Amino acid sequence: MSDVAQALGGASFTGFARVEELAPQGMISFRGDLSDPVVQEALRAATGLEMPAQRGIVQAEERALGWMSPDEAILLMPHAALGGVLVELRAALAGQHHLAVDVSDARVTFRLSGPGAREVLAKLAPVDLSPAAFAEGELRRTRVAQVAAAFWLSGAEEIALICFRSVARYVFDLLAVSAAEGGEVRAF
Amino acid sequence: MLLIQCPYCDEALPELEFAYAGEAHIARPADPSALSDEEWRDFLFIRTNTRGPHFERWRHIHGCGQFFNAVRDTVSDRFLMTYKAGEPRPVLNALEAAE
Ligand SMILES: [Zn+2]
């Protein structure tokens, strides 16, 4: 089997926070009526995760299930598990209007870590990232500077961010500039 | 920053995430071939160009991606309300009275 090529070869930068391109992970884009109990059950069974609330994300170990819109969910998992999840979803929803597609290669994932992680992103996105406003379990779709992105807290002082692979370099450079030593604002 | 209530995300979110998408409640004619040139022109191009509360479509393009409708005052740029696509046009008098 061939290796999955990373967009930036696992680039990283350390300033007052650390920015890393993560190893590729399996990612499924799911479209369907998320208010439908049959769809909810299919997602629950295929991922082993509870349905997230509106604008939410549910995570456990290497898996996550995120609410993207009333008719879209994102599923994250190790690459090796993706094929099985797709098969399960399609079987559970056979004959029902839905779409489940492997989009692993469409996006890249970055990790921001360290005490300044929130601040790195706060300079780039029109989002209140103070601990009081942005909490674990929230999936925020918005933009960073010129492009679309989504992010969530993936641990203590750790933020996961996804964006399209075609803008991986742009987003990495943005994050790196924002994290550069001397750029601390200490707003939070 | 102007905040816009997305009826699908149920939250007031920054204008930067949204895109304007023209006047709302303009139904495409069921049979375009039956229309005169003037009627087709009116459907394509003629808009109310309201001074005051205006019914318009917006899209939460850098968010949930959904289209929805809004009533925005074109003088003050104030959003009187937003509502899901497909819901009936709200009654203006009631909205203005609530202002
Ligand atoms: Zn929205």
Side-chain angles (χ1 to χ4, degrees), chain B:
Chain B
M1 189 182 295
L2 186 59
L3 297 177
I4 299 174
Q5 178 78 22
C6 174
Y8 293 96
C9 291
D10 256 340
E11 196 169 29
L13 296 160
E15 184 186 7
L16 275 176
E17 295 178 7
F18 295 84
Y20 175 71
E23 187 166 354
H25 301 294
I26 295 174
R28 183 181 172 85
D31 182 8
S33 64
L35 264 57
S36 68
D37 285 351
E38 288 70 29
E39 287 169 324
W40 186 243
R41 173 205 63 197
D42 289 354
F43 161 68
L44 286 181
F45 304 116
I46 305 304
R47 297 293 178 259
T48 58
N49 197 24
T50 306
R51 182 180 188 277
H54 183 236
F55 296 87
E56 54 198 26
R57 298 199 313 156
W58 282 78
R59 186 178 181 203
H60 191 194
I61 187 165
H62 286 293
C64 65
Q66 304 283 312
F67 281 91
F68 59 91
N69 292 329
V71 189
R72 181 181 59 94
D73 191 310
T74 57
V75 177
S76 62
D77 204 21
R78 187 179 165 79
F79 280 76
L80 304 182
M81 77 172 291
T82 58
Y83 51 104
K84 290 180 179 174
E87 289 180 358
R89 179 198 288 255
V91 180
L92 260 188
N93 290 343
L95 279 179
E96 284 167 332
E99 270 292 282

Side-chain angles (χ1 to χ4, degrees), chain A residues 92-117:
Chain A
L93 295 171
Q96 181 159 349
H97 181 66
H98 78 285
L99 177 140
V101 182
D102 176 359
V103 294
S104 308
D105 298 331
R107 296 197 179 99
V108 288
T109 311
F110 293 110
R111 177 166 59 205
L112 303 171
S113 51

Side-chain angles (χ1 to χ4, degrees), chain A residues 27-31 38-39 41-43 45-47 75 82-103:
Chain A
M27 195 178 294
I28 293 172
S29 179
F30 179 88
R31 307 289 311 227
V38 178
V39 168
E41 185 47 42
L43 287 169
T47 61
L75 286 63
L82 188 140
V85 172
L86 268 186
V87 167
E88 246 189 90
L89 272 177
R90 287 174 182 163
L93 295 171
Q96 181 159 349
H97 181 66
H98 78 285
L99 177 140
V101 182
D102 176 359
V103 294

Side-chain angles (χ1 to χ4, degrees), chain A residues 1-24:
Chain A
M1 199 181 129
S2 53
D3 292 334
V4 181
Q6 283 183 277
L8 306 176
S12 66
F13 174 86
T14 304
F16 68 84
R18 187 165 166 77
V19 182
E20 296 160 89
E21 179 194 12
L22 293 190

